[in-house]
Amino acid sequence: MRTTVGIIGAGPAGLLLARLLHNAGIDSVVLESRDRAYVERRQRAGILEQGTADVLRAAGAGGRMDREGLRHDGIELRFDRRRHRVDFPALTGGRSVTVYAQTEVCKDLIALQFEDGGPLLFEAEALAVEGAESDRPRVRYRHEGVEDVLECDYVVGCDGFWGVARKAVPAGLSRTFERTYPFGWLGVLADVAPSHDELVYARHDRGFALLSMRSPSVSRLYLQVPEGTDAEAWSDEEVWAELERRLETDDDWTLRRGPVTQKSVTPMRSYVHEPMRHGRLFLAGDAAHIVPPTGAKGLNLAVGDVVTFARALTHRTETGSEELLDAYSATCLRRVWQAERFSYDMTTLLHRAPDATPFDDRLQVARLARIAGSRAAETDLAEAYTGFPIG
């Protein structure tokens, strides 16, 4: 099989890239190792930055998002039983975020791909990327028990941290930057209406808590737990009781309880691979970088990567210039490192380290009080949360 762009991975990044290329008249083939049902149900991110939502609309994939997604004009910070709302539009010139689950983004893009896009092969496991330095790179893959080769002009690896794309970059050219955190997030899905109409980020002496949602009737909630925690070691009653403790306020706010339908633990890490390009192989999303989920940046960074690549290849097609393709890694990494910085800041601002001292506790509270009391500090948070410019 032959195509212009071989895309490894049918997560939101790979699917959106296929859509952007289709709209630009550039053919592609998407290879996904999992089946369609798995891709459409795996729970991941749920916050779309202003720029991400705008890109989906421009690509023709924003209709259901606009009907069913929840626009959020702010978040609430909680500390010392106090509540402070950060008003995004007032601080950013009208920007906001949208709560719309990654699963729904994938469903929308898969439907469009099958309707009028190029080939999308599920249960097609990429085995290796070969010839990245040549002008005819190849992806070896296995589909329906048979090995085959996808010949391309370009390969884009949207296959996550454990995928094969990054392995095609020679070790001598790779630089990695990494930080792991001694805690994770115990996350639960619950069939109950959210207890607040916007996300709530809570700093507490017992650890961080987050109140989020997937829809007007489904809550998504998180607790900071020690690294390596087994989700099943927490009973539903223990989860709800701990959420109530960490989210408590001095007013009459209450946490709604409901049936827990899913429980899992997410590890926390920061990771960047440089460069994000080798020859005609381009890395995007988790294949190149990971952020702790505190800043809601993972999915949005992946969108920024594929938008940057699609623009660069369109520019190459229209003008013959390689300038934007050559700048791909540097362009993406500027945004990546700002997102890494913001995600690290949010994580250290709100989570209590296992070895935290009373001095550390007071510093956290002072940092939160600064945000609550300074429009400049509040604006910096709001601008970062609603999204850094793409490109």
Side-chain angles (χ1 to χ4, degrees):
M1 188 161 43
R2 177 101 177 86
T3 190
T4 301
V5 182
I7 301 171
I8 309 175
L15 291 166
L16 176 59
L17 176 57
R19 184 65 184 174
L20 295 172
L21 295 174
H22 170 78
N23 290 348
I26 300 170
D27 62 294
S28 68
V29 173
V30 183
L31 305 176
E32 168 56 47
S33 63
R34 303 283 192 161
D35 62 27
R36 179 174 179 175
Y38 179 88
V39 173
E40 292 187 339
R41 70 171 180 263
R42 57 184 167 194
Q43 291 293 327
R44 293 291 190 272
I47 304 296
L48 308 183
E49 295 174 354
Q50 178 77 58
T52 296
D54 291 344
V55 165
L56 289 170
R57 293 186 187 104
R64 194 162 68 93
M65 175 192 70
D66 285 333
R67 292 192 302 273
E68 301 178 13
L70 307 174
R71 173 180 164 132
H72 279 203
D73 287 336
I75 58 172
E76 183 172 286
L77 301 175
R78 292 190 184 180
F79 59 102
D80 282 356
R81 301 172 63 95
R82 290 183 280 162
R83 304 168 63 177
H84 176 77
R85 181 174 184 268
V86 179
D87 185 332
F88 292 157
L91 295 162
T92 64
R95 297 170 68 82
S96 64
V97 298
T98 300
V99 176
Y100 192 62
Q102 173 176 313
T103 50
E104 306 310 307
V105 174
C106 287
K107 289 175 186 175
D108 296 341
L109 289 168
I110 288 170
L112 286 170
Q113 189 73 5
F114 280 125
E115 179 181 328
D116 61 11
L120 166 54
L121 305 183
F122 287 105
E123 298 181 89
E125 179 188 6
L127 304 174
V129 177
E130 300 172 341
E133 303 92 340
S134 73
D135 59 1
R136 290 290 186 271
R138 303 171 300 279
V139 181
R140 282 198 299 108
Y141 68 98
R142 183 185 297 113
H143 184 232
E144 297 179 343
V146 178
E147 284 198 21
D148 206 341
V149 175
L150 176 62
E151 297 181 344
C152 323
D153 293 335
Y154 304 92
V155 176
V156 182
C158 304
D159 52 344
F161 183 79
W162 301 107
V164 301
R166 192 176 66 252
K167 296 175 183 177
V169 181
L173 301 180
S174 297
R175 297 186 67 199
T176 59
F177 306 84
E178 187 171 11
R179 176 181 292 273
T180 57
Y181 300 86
F183 43 75
W185 278 10
L186 171 63
V188 299
L189 274 176
D191 285 340
V192 61
S195 302
H196 193 62
D197 56 1
E198 294 177 334
L199 272 69
V200 176
Y201 288 77
R203 185 268 170 204
H204 193 276
D205 286 343
R206 296 176 63 90
F208 169 72
L210 172 62
L211 187 160
S212 183
M213 65 283 293
R214 285 293 179 262
S215 75
S217 61
V218 177
S219 292
R220 183 70 161 153
L221 307 112
Y222 298 94
L223 288 169
Q224 176 188 343
V225 293
E227 182 184 21
T229 293
D230 178 4
E232 297 308 316
W234 284 70
S235 70
D236 294 357
E237 172 59 34
E238 288 172 329
V239 170
W240 287 117
E242 190 63 21
L243 284 165
E244 287 177 342
R245 278 191 287 266
R246 298 189 193 183
L247 291 163
E248 63 187 352
T249 63
D250 282 333
D251 57 20
D252 59 357
W253 180 88
T254 57
L255 178 68
R256 298 188 184 113
R257 294 190 177 200
V260 173
T261 60
Q262 187 182 106
K263 199 182 297 177
S264 62
V265 172
T266 302
M268 306 281 281
R269 65 188 310 206
S270 301
Y271 174 88
V272 179
H273 178 279
E274 297 183 3
M276 289 176 58
R277 176 196 180 181
H278 174 60
R280 292 204 170 194
L281 167 66
F282 297 77
L283 304 179
D286 286 2
H289 43 72
I290 294 173
V291 290
T294 326
K297 291 294 168 216
L299 167 60
N300 296 291
L301 273 184
V303 168
D305 294 343
V306 298
V307 168
T308 301
F309 176 80
R311 286 177 180 170
L313 187 55
T314 301
H315 181 71
R316 164 70 175 80
T317 302
E318 293 175 348
T319 69
S321 171
E322 301 273 349
E323 179 183 5
L324 296 185
L325 286 170
D326 290 342
Y328 171 81
S329 184
T331 300
C332 290
L333 285 168
R334 282 195 294 271
R335 192 169 189 264
V336 166
W337 277 111
Q338 285 303 316
E340 292 283 355
R341 186 270 307 170
F342 175 68
S343 299
Y344 174 82
D345 286 349
M346 287 286 283
T347 301
T348 58
L349 173 70
L350 295 161
H351 292 74
R352 193 170 193 275
D355 59 352
T357 66
F359 181 83
D360 298 325
D361 293 335
R362 289 296 182 93
L363 279 182
Q364 280 187 319
V365 172
R367 290 168 66 191
L368 285 159
R370 171 67 177 170
I371 293 168
S374 164
R375 186 176 179 86
E378 195 177 26
T379 298
D380 184 61
L381 188 156
E383 288 180 343
Y385 197 99
T386 55
F388 302 105
I390 296 175

